[in-house]
Amino acid sequence: MSTAAVELTDVKFSWPAQRPTLDIPHWQVEQAGTMLLRGASGSGKSTLLSLLAGVNTPQQGKIELLGTDLARLSARNRDKFRADHIGYIFQQFNLLPYLSALDNVLLGVQFSKQRRQRLRDPAEKTANDYLTRLGLSQRQQHQPAAELSVGQQQRVAAARALIGAPELLIADEPTSALDADRRDRFINLLLELSNANGTTVIFVTHDASLAKQFQFCTELSDINRVTSSLAEADDA
Ligand SMILES: Nc1ncnc2c1ncn2[C@@H]1O[C@H](COP(=O)(O)OP(=O)(O)OP(=O)(O)O)[C@@H](O)[C@H]1O
Ligand SMILES: [Mg+2]
């Protein structure tokens, strides 16, 4: 059994009717480690995250999360595994627009008994605490997500991903709408909350300047044998 939080071995993935997007001989992320994953636009970062979350399945190779081989789980058990162990901040946030910020955060523990059991306080208190620390006022917390600014929605998505202390936090470019100062504070808080929970963090960006806040940094082009046309254009 692997002791890494995430381990990929000989993973190959292609979208239907397209040339391969990913061909990764080996990549791993330590438990409780914080990893920045960098790469050019279109190079396959979001695709890789979708494989880690079990949303898509590689045509070849093995993905182990917390020592579990995702391919050995039925689709139903993969959904359960994701709900129990992974907090995911999507590139497009995926908040429910008509629900309040607070209720969106509570969704993070709604589908997982394990995550509810890890709460030290009632879920509402934890959600309120996270959102307050992330800078949302009481009034904003009760506003529908659709009425929040993009940067505020990003912070709601972060709180939803972190609540109930999932072992793995996957964040797909969650700071694109923030100015540099807010971005740094957001990442520090995200890492502080993750650290307090012992959560492994995989944070995707194309912004090289963020590397200093993370323990590890991987360039997708260093682990992926497929080179994207944009990355090739950048090299030229
Ligand atoms: N749902 C999909 N169906 C088919 N092809 C897709 C799909 N999602 C992504 N792709 C293709 O896979 C490649 C990698 O896309 P991906 O979204 O993983 O890149 P990315 O590194 O996350 O880019 P960005 O930094 O712009 O978010 C692109 O060529 C894209 O067209
Ligand atoms: Mg992406």
Side-chain angles (χ1 to χ4, degrees):
M1 201 165 102
S2 163
T3 54
V6 174
E7 183 162 14
L8 276 69
T9 313
D10 281 327
V11 167
K12 293 194 170 114
F13 179 83
S14 313
W15 289 102
Q18 288 196 35
R19 68 189 196 96
T21 300
L22 298 171
D23 176 356
I24 300 177
H26 186 253
W27 187 54
Q28 71 176 47
V29 182
E30 303 294 323
Q31 266 183 36
T34 62
M35 168 67 78
L36 189 78
L37 177 65
R38 281 195 54 222
S41 179
S43 61
K45 303 182 297 296
S46 295
T47 302
L48 173 55
L49 297 186
S50 76
L51 300 184
L52 298 183
V55 175
N56 287 302
T57 307
Q59 282 83 15
Q60 198 184 304
K62 187 156 94 169
I63 299 181
E64 279 180 292
L65 290 192
L66 315 164
T68 297
D69 181 350
L70 288 187
R72 289 181 178 272
L73 301 178
S74 64
R76 186 162 170 272
N77 283 339
R78 254 202 313 275
D79 288 345
K80 182 173 184 324
F81 187 88
R82 187 187 315 124
D84 284 341
H85 302 293
I86 303 178
Y88 203 132
I89 310 177
F90 292 91
Q91 201 163 7
Q92 317 292 345
F93 319 143
N94 291 9
L95 299 179
L96 292 187
Y98 51 89
L99 284 188
S100 71
L102 206 60
D103 285 339
N104 266 286
V105 175
L106 290 172
L107 285 178
V109 286
Q110 189 159 327
F111 302 105
S112 169
K113 191 172 166 198
Q114 282 193 35
R115 279 174 72 169
R116 282 197 296 280
Q117 284 172 339
R118 276 189 227 126
L119 293 167
R120 289 187 205 106
D121 294 312
E124 291 76 13
K125 183 174 184 305
T126 308
N128 175 248
D129 177 42
Y130 280 15
L131 287 174
T132 303
R133 290 177 71 180
L134 287 161
L136 268 81
S137 68
Q138 295 302 318
R139 196 175 68 83
Q140 287 162 346
Q141 293 186 26
H142 289 94
Q143 253 169 277
E147 292 172 18
L148 298 173
S149 76
V150 175
Q152 288 161 348
Q153 291 184 41
Q154 282 180 326
R155 285 175 270 157
V156 174
R160 181 182 60 184
L162 284 164
I163 195 166
E167 287 93 336
L168 180 62
L169 174 72
I170 294 176
D172 196 352
E173 306 242 25
T175 55
S176 49
L178 303 181
D179 55 60
D181 183 44
R182 276 179 183 276
R183 184 198 64 198
D184 287 344
R185 278 194 285 140
F186 171 86
I187 293 176
N188 282 334
L189 191 53
L190 193 85
L191 293 175
E192 191 184 311
L193 291 171
S194 304
N195 187 37
N197 290 340
T199 297
T200 306
V201 178
I202 300 180
F203 187 106
V204 159
T205 183
H206 50 249
D207 185 347
S209 72
L210 302 184
K212 58 186 180 301
Q213 284 162 282
F214 292 79
Q215 290 170 325
F216 308 101
C217 180
T218 294
E219 290 283 339
L220 184 56
S221 58
D222 287 343
I223 58 165
N224 187 16
R225 286 202 187 115
V226 177
T227 46
S228 71
S229 50
L230 215 141
E232 280 161 15
D234 283 351
D235 289 344

